Amino acid sequence: MTRNSCGTSRITGCQFTLFPMSDKFVDIILGSLDEVDTSKVWKDTDDVSTCVRGKMVHVFDVVKALFLHAAKTGEHVAMSGTFSIGCPGDTEANSYMDETDTPLNEAKSSDITQEAGCKFSLYPMGREDYMDAIYEQIDLSKQRGVEVSHAHYATRLDGDVKDIFRAMVQSFDSVQQKVSHVIMSFTISANSPSNKT
Amino acid sequence: MTRNSCGTSRITGCQFTLFPMSDKFVDIILGSLDEVDTSKVWKDTDDVSTCVRGKMVHVFDVVKALFLHAAKTGEHVAMSGTFSIGCPGDTEANSYMDETDTPLNEAKSSDITQEAGCKFSLYPMGREDYMDAIYEQIDLSKQRGVEVSHAHYATRLDGDVKDIFRAMVQSFDSVQQKVSHVIMSFTISANSPSNKT
């Protein structure tokens, strides 16, 4: 494994799993994959999770689109995952970093209106002042058209899925401009019978 | 919010979600909760996730037991979550830190035999040499009776659920003895129709 020095690798990656709480989970997962164009990201799937890697814009585009297309079935679906950028252990190989910046799924995704709840946590790595970056970011999130609340170990976002992802992208992007290696974990849930709205 | 200085707070917490891929997801979740004694941890649940907090032994005991009791239904179930210890933003309140060390669910859990696959990642916070702690830990995991493999951004463990959790506890515990604030994210999956065994 090649270890790049900090700052040379700006591959974004996401390990995530889509969880349809339904007997039709296989059809929902495969149906979502059919609707999403993943050709601008490297992708690998096993029985635990899927990993996509490439430019930040395309990694978020694909993850958001997969969740939206699964949620629009009306079934209770959730997704958990971890975004990573600048990992010193990541390799340049398989990185699809030469793709253009136009997201492939934005137009189709933008037609889907879907409310959700999401908890996410940002972890700036390798810095003694990491808590400052976290607290700054929690403050910033308040201005982005989603309802923001604080949970233990996480920030909760409620609103339209596209607005939730926009807030997460902006948080992740602003921290990674200051800190080389950033991790962001999230769990997003839609159509839950126990949600509050 | 009270912010404790590093090292004074040794509350362990876990934000996690149980995902039964079944129309009976409500019954499976409530049934698991019925079988698990959570009286030694602080617990809060909303429509996105559940948070448990307290002593490390009890937090892992409860999370493992909930997964085991859900998986023994034979349905495809998964769980994603994030363990945290030593968070400078965590509070002593609601922490159940005076409980004795005897885990309440160990005996009942040990009767359940369940294979699973799991991906986990350790994030030692606030340290410039954090990658060394991660690589050391990945090496250690190889000796614990579970099959260990490497995935992008994560270490994969395959084996019995109890052995998987034992490896995760040992990894988490050994890093937190050296690093004040440690995060560990995981996704574990059982009874998947697409697993390889």
Side-chain angles (χ1 to χ4, degrees), chain A residues 96-139:
Chain A
Y96 286 58
M97 297 304 281
D98 295 330
E99 300 288 347
T100 61
D101 285 340
T102 311
L104 294 174
N105 300 285
E106 189 64 29
K108 209 165 158 186
S109 295
S110 65
D111 290 340
I112 306 171
T113 299
Q114 175 69 54
E115 294 292 303
C118 180
K119 289 183 188 167
F120 81 106
S121 303
L122 268 165
Y123 305 113
M125 301 304 296
R127 288 270 293 261
E128 291 183 14
D129 61 347
Y130 66 102
M131 290 304 287
D132 296 334
I134 294 172
Y135 286 122
E136 276 169 31
Q137 204 39 57
I138 289 172
D139 287 342

Side-chain angles (χ1 to χ4, degrees), chain A residues 132-171:
Chain A
D132 296 334
I134 294 172
Y135 286 122
E136 276 169 31
Q137 204 39 57
I138 289 172
D139 287 342
L140 274 172
S141 301
K142 286 176 184 156
Q143 298 155 28
R144 283 171 194 156
V146 288
E147 188 188 333
V148 180
S149 52
H150 189 67
H152 279 292
Y153 315 118
T155 299
R156 179 169 177 142
L157 303 173
D158 284 276
D160 186 84
V161 170
K162 299 182 293 297
D163 293 329
I164 288 170
F165 270 90
R166 190 178 304 117
M168 287 203 290
V169 171
Q170 288 179 1
S171 298

